Tab-separated table of all heavy atoms in Angstrom:
chain	number	residue	atom	x	y	z
E	59	GLY	N	1.445	9.441	-17.305
E	59	GLY	CA	0.912	9.821	-16.000
E	59	GLY	C	1.660	10.983	-15.372
E	59	GLY	O	2.884	11.022	-15.359
E	60	ARG	N	0.893	11.938	-14.847
E	60	ARG	CA	1.492	13.142	-14.260
E	60	ARG	C	1.688	13.019	-12.761
E	60	ARG	O	2.050	13.985	-12.102
E	60	ARG	CB	0.600	14.351	-14.547
E	60	ARG	CG	0.283	14.602	-16.034
E	60	ARG	CD	1.543	14.853	-16.838
E	60	ARG	NE	1.279	15.516	-18.122
E	60	ARG	CZ	1.638	15.032	-19.313
E	60	ARG	NH1	2.265	13.885	-19.415
E	60	ARG	NH2	1.396	15.716	-20.417
E	61	GLY	N	1.443	11.826	-12.193
E	61	GLY	CA	1.580	11.666	-10.745
E	61	GLY	C	3.006	11.362	-10.319
E	61	GLY	O	3.317	11.351	-9.131
E	62	GLY	N	3.875	11.091	-11.254
E	62	GLY	CA	5.264	10.859	-10.879
E	62	GLY	C	5.972	9.849	-11.759
E	62	GLY	O	7.065	10.083	-12.243
E	63	ALA	N	5.312	8.705	-11.999
E	63	ALA	CA	6.032	7.630	-12.665
E	63	ALA	C	6.059	7.777	-14.186
E	63	ALA	O	6.903	7.192	-14.860
E	63	ALA	CB	5.417	6.286	-12.279
E	64	GLY	N	5.134	8.536	-14.748
E	64	GLY	CA	5.139	8.752	-16.191
E	64	GLY	C	4.726	7.545	-17.002
E	64	GLY	O	5.104	7.381	-18.156
E	65	PHE	N	3.910	6.672	-16.415
E	65	PHE	CA	3.462	5.475	-17.127
E	65	PHE	C	2.420	5.866	-18.192
E	65	PHE	O	1.558	6.697	-17.923
E	65	PHE	CB	2.859	4.474	-16.135
E	65	PHE	CG	2.596	3.128	-16.740
E	65	PHE	CD1	3.631	2.202	-16.854
E	65	PHE	CD2	1.345	2.798	-17.230
E	65	PHE	CE1	3.399	0.966	-17.431
E	65	PHE	CE2	1.112	1.565	-17.815
E	65	PHE	CZ	2.147	0.647	-17.917
E	67	THR	N	-0.696	6.390	-20.040
E	67	THR	CA	-2.064	6.288	-19.527
E	67	THR	C	-2.922	5.341	-20.362
E	67	THR	O	-3.669	4.522	-19.812
E	67	THR	CB	-2.698	7.692	-19.476
E	67	THR	OG1	-1.815	8.544	-18.734
E	67	THR	CG2	-4.052	7.673	-18.803
E	70	LYS	N	-2.233	1.764	-19.524
E	70	LYS	CA	-2.821	1.412	-18.228
E	70	LYS	C	-4.308	1.120	-18.382
E	70	LYS	O	-4.820	0.126	-17.872
E	70	LYS	CB	-2.608	2.570	-17.246
E	70	LYS	CG	-2.993	2.258	-15.808
E	70	LYS	CD	-2.861	3.466	-14.896
E	70	LYS	CE	-1.458	3.711	-14.419
E	70	LYS	NZ	-1.374	4.762	-13.373
E	87	ASN	N	-6.198	10.034	-7.908
E	87	ASN	CA	-5.227	10.232	-6.838
E	87	ASN	C	-5.026	11.729	-6.606
E	87	ASN	O	-4.349	12.414	-7.368
E	87	ASN	CB	-3.910	9.564	-7.239
E	87	ASN	CG	-2.884	9.557	-6.113
E	87	ASN	OD1	-2.994	10.343	-5.167
E	87	ASN	ND2	-1.894	8.693	-6.217
E	89	ASP	N	-3.966	12.822	-3.541
E	89	ASP	CA	-3.368	12.829	-2.203
E	89	ASP	C	-2.252	13.867	-2.088
E	89	ASP	O	-1.889	14.271	-0.996
E	89	ASP	CB	-2.844	11.441	-1.841
E	89	ASP	CG	-2.564	11.330	-0.356
E	89	ASP	OD1	-3.377	11.860	0.412
E	89	ASP	OD2	-1.531	10.766	0.037
E	90	GLU	N	-1.717	14.258	-3.205
E	90	GLU	CA	-0.719	15.325	-3.308
E	90	GLU	C	-0.007	15.700	-2.003
E	90	GLU	O	-0.283	16.740	-1.409
E	90	GLU	CB	-1.342	16.584	-3.897
E	90	GLU	CG	-0.286	17.584	-4.321
E	90	GLU	CD	-0.872	18.669	-5.217
E	90	GLU	OE1	-1.756	19.416	-4.792
E	90	GLU	OE2	-0.436	18.736	-6.358
E	91	GLY	N	0.919	14.851	-1.591
E	91	GLY	CA	1.668	15.167	-0.383
E	91	GLY	C	3.094	15.572	-0.678
E	91	GLY	O	3.859	15.892	0.232
E	92	GLU	N	3.458	15.540	-1.941
E	92	GLU	CA	4.851	15.827	-2.306
E	92	GLU	C	5.202	17.262	-1.928
E	92	GLU	O	4.555	18.192	-2.403
E	92	GLU	CB	5.008	15.633	-3.817
E	92	GLU	CG	6.423	15.600	-4.320
E	92	GLU	CD	7.242	14.490	-3.711
E	92	GLU	OE1	6.868	13.326	-3.866
E	92	GLU	OE2	8.256	14.807	-3.063
E	98	ASP	N	-2.339	19.897	-7.969
E	98	ASP	CA	-3.597	19.166	-7.956
E	98	ASP	C	-4.648	19.915	-7.141
E	98	ASP	O	-5.824	19.932	-7.488
E	98	ASP	CB	-3.393	17.753	-7.394
E	98	ASP	CG	-2.480	16.914	-8.284
E	98	ASP	OD1	-2.320	17.286	-9.464
E	98	ASP	OD2	-1.934	15.908	-7.810
E	175	TYR	N	1.986	10.760	3.798
E	175	TYR	CA	2.532	10.973	2.458
E	175	TYR	C	2.524	9.687	1.646
E	175	TYR	O	2.198	9.685	0.467
E	175	TYR	CB	3.960	11.514	2.597
E	175	TYR	CG	4.789	11.469	1.337
E	175	TYR	CD1	4.522	12.352	0.281
E	175	TYR	CD2	5.850	10.582	1.201
E	175	TYR	CE1	5.297	12.326	-0.866
E	175	TYR	CE2	6.621	10.556	0.058
E	175	TYR	CZ	6.338	11.428	-0.974
E	175	TYR	OH	7.109	11.398	-2.108
E	176	VAL	N	2.837	8.567	2.299
E	176	VAL	CA	2.950	7.306	1.562
E	176	VAL	C	1.628	6.906	0.920
E	176	VAL	O	1.595	6.163	-0.058
E	176	VAL	CB	3.510	6.182	2.470
E	176	VAL	CG1	2.503	5.792	3.533
E	176	VAL	CG2	3.917	4.962	1.654
E	178	GLY	N	-0.045	8.462	-1.035
E	178	GLY	CA	-0.051	8.859	-2.444
E	178	GLY	C	0.405	7.715	-3.334
E	178	GLY	O	0.080	7.666	-4.511
E	179	GLU	N	1.172	6.788	-2.772
E	179	GLU	CA	1.591	5.602	-3.528
E	179	GLU	C	0.335	4.783	-3.787
E	179	GLU	O	-0.473	4.558	-2.884
E	179	GLU	CB	2.624	4.805	-2.722
E	179	GLU	CG	3.451	3.826	-3.525
E	179	GLU	CD	2.742	2.518	-3.855
E	179	GLU	OE1	1.825	2.129	-3.085
E	179	GLU	OE2	3.061	1.890	-4.865
E	180	GLU	N	0.170	4.341	-5.030
E	180	GLU	CA	-1.138	3.827	-5.442
E	180	GLU	C	-1.662	2.665	-4.605
E	180	GLU	O	-2.847	2.627	-4.265
E	180	GLU	CB	-1.109	3.458	-6.927
E	180	GLU	CG	0.043	2.527	-7.308
E	180	GLU	CD	0.254	2.460	-8.830
E	180	GLU	OE1	-0.202	3.372	-9.533
E	180	GLU	OE2	0.874	1.494	-9.286
E	213	ILE	N	-5.817	3.779	-11.555
E	213	ILE	CA	-5.589	4.937	-10.695
E	213	ILE	C	-4.782	5.963	-11.467
E	213	ILE	O	-3.760	5.643	-12.061
E	213	ILE	CB	-4.916	4.550	-9.356
E	213	ILE	CG1	-4.644	5.804	-8.516
E	213	ILE	CG2	-3.654	3.728	-9.550
E	213	ILE	CD1	-4.353	5.507	-7.051
E	214	ASN	N	-5.306	7.176	-11.518
E	214	ASN	CA	-4.629	8.262	-12.220
E	214	ASN	C	-4.574	9.514	-11.366
E	214	ASN	O	-5.448	9.777	-10.545
E	214	ASN	CB	-5.349	8.599	-13.532
E	214	ASN	CG	-4.970	7.680	-14.672
E	214	ASN	OD1	-5.819	7.104	-15.337
E	214	ASN	ND2	-3.678	7.525	-14.906
E	215	ASN	N	-3.552	10.287	-11.647
E	215	ASN	CA	-3.353	11.561	-10.982
E	215	ASN	C	-4.379	12.603	-11.488
E	215	ASN	O	-4.898	12.484	-12.595
E	215	ASN	CB	-1.921	12.018	-11.289
E	215	ASN	CG	-1.641	13.420	-10.822
E	215	ASN	OD1	-1.614	14.353	-11.614
E	215	ASN	ND2	-1.458	13.575	-9.533
E	216	VAL	N	-4.632	13.600	-10.667
E	216	VAL	CA	-5.566	14.685	-11.018
E	216	VAL	C	-5.204	15.331	-12.359
E	216	VAL	O	-6.048	15.504	-13.237
E	216	VAL	CB	-5.548	15.775	-9.909
E	216	VAL	CG1	-6.321	17.009	-10.345
E	216	VAL	CG2	-6.105	15.227	-8.609
E	218	THR	N	-3.345	14.160	-14.791
E	218	THR	CA	-3.519	13.209	-15.893
E	218	THR	C	-4.968	13.242	-16.357
E	218	THR	O	-5.248	13.345	-17.559
E	218	THR	CB	-3.178	11.775	-15.421
E	218	THR	OG1	-1.934	11.788	-14.730
E	218	THR	CG2	-3.101	10.816	-16.588
E	394	CYS	N	8.715	-0.087	-1.910
E	394	CYS	CA	7.953	0.826	-2.771
E	394	CYS	C	8.777	2.035	-3.151
E	394	CYS	O	9.911	2.225	-2.714
E	394	CYS	CB	6.638	1.250	-2.105
E	394	CYS	SG	6.768	2.649	-0.983
E	395	GLY	N	8.175	2.880	-3.967
E	395	GLY	CA	8.864	4.043	-4.509
E	395	GLY	C	9.393	4.994	-3.454
E	395	GLY	O	10.374	5.699	-3.690
E	396	LEU	N	8.774	5.024	-2.283
E	396	LEU	CA	9.243	5.960	-1.269
E	396	LEU	C	10.679	5.641	-0.868
E	396	LEU	O	11.568	6.480	-0.951
E	396	LEU	CB	8.324	5.944	-0.036
E	396	LEU	CG	8.610	7.038	1.005
E	396	LEU	CD1	7.326	7.478	1.691
E	396	LEU	CD2	9.627	6.610	2.055
O	1	LIG	C1	5.810	7.671	-2.032
O	1	LIG	C2	4.946	7.951	-3.220
O	1	LIG	C3	4.042	9.000	-3.183
O	1	LIG	C4	3.223	9.281	-4.266
O	1	LIG	N1	2.366	10.328	-4.176
O	1	LIG	C5	1.534	10.576	-5.227
O	1	LIG	C6	0.594	11.649	-5.153
O	1	LIG	O1	0.520	12.369	-4.160
O	1	LIG	N2	-0.228	11.856	-6.212
O	1	LIG	C7	-0.174	11.065	-7.344
O	1	LIG	O2	-0.945	11.284	-8.269
O	1	LIG	N3	0.715	10.064	-7.432
O	1	LIG	C8	1.560	9.795	-6.411
O	1	LIG	N4	2.439	8.747	-6.508
O	1	LIG	C9	2.423	7.926	-7.740
O	1	LIG	C10	1.341	6.860	-7.666
O	1	LIG	O3	1.871	5.704	-7.052
O	1	LIG	C11	0.854	6.448	-9.053
O	1	LIG	O4	1.948	6.165	-9.848
O	1	LIG	C12	0.014	7.510	-9.734
O	1	LIG	O5	-1.058	7.896	-8.943
O	1	LIG	C13	-0.498	6.963	-11.038
O	1	LIG	O6	-1.200	7.955	-11.748
O	1	LIG	P1	-0.655	8.529	-13.125
O	1	LIG	O7	-0.299	7.358	-13.986
O	1	LIG	O8	-1.785	9.316	-13.648
O	1	LIG	O9	0.533	9.369	-12.811
O	1	LIG	C14	3.299	8.477	-5.432
O	1	LIG	C15	4.209	7.421	-5.473
O	1	LIG	C16	5.034	7.168	-4.395
O	1	LIG	C17	6.004	6.035	-4.485
Side-chain angles (χ1 to χ4, degrees):
Chain E
R60 304 299 199 237
F65 190 82
T67 307
K70 188 184 278 189
N87 187 341
D89 195 40
E90 194 166 62
E92 192 60 59
D98 296 341
Y175 166 72
V176 69
E179 198 281 334
E180 52 194 20
I213 178 164
N214 278 128
N215 172 257
V216 171
T218 312
C394 85
L396 189 147

